[in-house]
Amino acid sequence: MSLPFHISIVFLIFLIFRLILTVHSDNTTLHVQPGSSSFKIVLFADLHFGEDTWTDWGPRQDVNSIKVMSTVLDQEHPDFVVYLGDIVTANNIPIKNASLYWDQAISPTRDRGIPWSSVFGNHDDMYFEWPMEWFSSTGIPPLHCRVNVSRPPESEGVCSFKGTTRSELMMNELEMNKLSYSKFGPKDLWPSISNYVLKLSSANNPESVIAYMYFLDSGGGSYPEVISSAQAEWFNRTSQEINPNSRVPEIIFWHIPSQAYKEVAPRSDAHGNCIGSLFMEEVAAQEAEMGMMQLLEGRSSVKAVFVGHNHGLDWCCPYKKLWLCYARHSGYGGYGNWPRGARILEITQQPFSLKSWIRMQDGHVHSEVLLNS
């Protein structure tokens, strides 16, 4: 007996979706290009696509952010890109599927055929925040649900004020993009999403691992700003399994700085051993420390942690046996009028080294630092 047509279609869609996730779940290894001894990564932080979507001003900021990313990518020619959270400002997006803006944010990287990965920030799945001016005499703007001012009315999104969940955002990224190395992560770490590890291998010997890169969800938005004890335990188990003797260097990425960043933050004009150009605000750290930093401090293989979140900070500071680093505010969305740019990482093998610098939108390079412990 054959299945009804509509059930067959649903089953087929389910199988296709499972296949997509299976392909991406096996996509965990990056390789240094043949003939090269280094691997370059660009970090784009705090793009904040989708701000004030009901105005002409908001979409213009997204266009400016695309220009920043395009300039950096064309000048640096990276092997990989990391989207370090707050890719969209979901609390400003009154349509059901915020992935439309997420897709715009990753388009400069995807269009150049560069692989990437992403982690979540505190704004990526926030509920919509109603603007006070909508309750003034002018009222709610009639086109507040449009996706892009450059698109025709028939492309408008469906109105919704509940936000798009982390799971939906990740699902849409993986479903539509073969170049994405992002992952859902273990189900038992829910509600956090985007907890996973990638390995970087040599071009000549794929079994030779140059570095492990860990990506974690630091919370915020729909739940507290914290890396939980469960996430710390996952990191501990995983690192002990794949790198038991700490022989392979490890690099860590998440969005909201840990409380350890407050300890090393430069005071006033005394920057000490910190390297950077932006020291314009205090550290806005996670709400609590639940064991993650203690684990990192105890592993000699951990070289550096990279975060975003604070738009007015771009420094790297030594902390015990590792480095704590900020990226650089890349997007025209979000607070602050400081010049935009991106942090660049260059991993070199034999011997291992981790070098970093800031590339600005105007092409200027500054704050070069060697992050070897």
Side-chain angles (χ1 to χ4, degrees):
M1 179 178 178
S2 61
L3 292 172
F5 177 75
H6 69 281
I7 295 179
S8 300
I9 292 296
V10 170
F11 184 66
L12 177 61
I13 292 172
F14 172 77
L15 290 178
I16 293 173
F17 177 66
R18 285 295 301 272
L19 177 62
I20 290 170
L21 292 186
T22 300
V23 169
H24 279 280
S25 67
D26 294 336
N27 206 17
T28 59
T29 303
L30 298 163
H31 299 277
V32 174
Q33 293 295 323
S36 176
S37 61
S38 64
F39 188 85
K40 186 182 288 185
I41 303 172
V42 167
L43 307 185
F44 289 132
D46 299 282
L47 292 165
H48 287 281
F49 270 63
E51 292 207 338
D52 290 356
T53 56
W54 53 91
T55 69
D56 292 333
W57 174 89
R60 284 201 301 269
Q61 306 318 300
D62 295 345
V63 171
N64 290 334
S65 298
I66 287 176
K67 291 179 180 178
V68 174
M69 290 186 282
S70 298
T71 298
V72 171
L73 293 173
D74 291 341
Q75 291 179 341
E76 290 290 349
H77 302 287
D79 300 291
F80 196 65
V81 170
V82 174
Y83 286 89
L84 206 51
D86 281 3
I87 298 170
V88 298
T89 303
N91 45 303
N92 266 196
I93 300 176
I95 63 171
K96 186 174 183 179
N97 188 2
S99 292
L100 294 167
Y101 291 94
W102 190 285
D103 190 64
Q104 289 179 30
I106 63 177
S107 63
T109 300
R110 181 185 58 228
D111 292 348
R112 287 163 174 79
I114 304 170
W116 74 88
S117 63
S118 61
V119 295
F120 285 104
N122 53 299
H123 281 277
D124 288 318
D125 72 343
M126 277 187 171
Y127 285 171
F128 183 78
E129 295 178 356
W130 291 79
M132 185 61 69
E133 61 267 25
W134 284 18
F135 299 92
S136 66
S137 59
T138 55
I140 298 177
L143 295 178
H144 66 275
C145 290
R146 60 182 172 177
V147 174
N148 190 307
V149 293
S150 64
R151 295 184 181 181
E154 58 267 22
S155 69
E156 291 178 4
V158 178
C159 290
S160 175
F161 306 101
K162 296 182 179 180
T164 307
T165 67
R166 276 167 155 79
S167 295
E168 290 171 319
L169 290 167
M170 183 62 74
M171 184 184 301
N172 287 326
E173 179 182 325
L174 297 181
E175 192 175 16
M176 303 301 295
N177 298 288
K178 294 181 180 179
L179 290 170
S180 173
Y181 277 69
S182 302
K183 302 285 181 291
F184 278 91
K187 293 180 180 179
D188 57 358
L189 299 183
W190 187 88
S192 71
I193 305 292
S194 71
N195 301 285
Y196 55 98
V197 58
L198 303 177
K199 67 178 178 180
L200 175 63
S201 294
S202 169
N204 300 325
N205 182 8
E207 299 302 317
S208 175
V209 182
I210 300 169
Y212 288 107
M213 297 184 289
Y214 291 85
F215 301 82
L216 291 105
D217 186 346
S218 55
S222 61
Y223 72 98
E225 297 180 352
V226 67
I227 292 179
S228 69
S229 58
Q231 288 170 280
E233 291 170 6
W234 167 80
F235 170 80
N236 189 39
R237 290 195 309 270
T238 304
S239 59
Q240 292 290 348
E241 178 183 345
I242 65 177
N243 195 19
N245 299 315
S246 295
R247 289 184 294 185
V248 178
E250 296 169 322
I251 306 168
I252 316 297
F253 302 93
W254 64 64
H255 180 70
I256 304 175
S258 65
Q259 295 192 359
Y261 275 72
K262 288 186 174 182
E263 297 180 31
V264 301
R267 308 297 178 188
S268 185
D269 294 328
H271 299 159
N273 294 321
C274 298
I275 308 295
S277 68
L278 270 185
F279 304 87
M280 304 303 294
E281 59 178 324
E282 295 184 357
V283 172
Q286 297 170 31
E287 297 173 34
E289 174 57 49
M290 296 189 173
M292 188 65 196
M293 285 307 304
Q294 184 177 358
L295 289 171
L296 298 184
E297 294 162 16
R299 290 185 65 79
S300 60
S301 48
V302 176
K303 303 303 178 183
V305 180
F306 296 94
V307 303
H309 195 56
N310 282 107
H311 300 181
L313 301 174
D314 73 351
W315 46 257
C316 281
C317 293
Y319 175 74
K320 300 185 178 181
K321 295 182 180 180
L322 55 97
W323 286 79
L324 301 181
C325 293
Y326 276 97
R328 177 81 186 204
H329 184 198
S330 304
Y332 273 77
Y335 70 91
N337 293 316
W338 303 289
R340 272 64 173 183
R343 179 168 290 283
I344 315 299
L345 310 181
E346 186 176 55
I347 301 170
T348 304
Q349 56 181 331
Q350 298 177 352
F352 176 87
S353 71
L354 176 60
K355 185 168 67 174
S356 184
W357 61 90
I358 302 290
R359 169 73 70 172
M360 301 303 295
Q361 183 181 9
D362 64 4
H364 178 60
V365 172
H366 62 81
S367 304
E368 184 173 313
V369 57
L370 189 62
L371 301 173
N372 293 355
S373 299

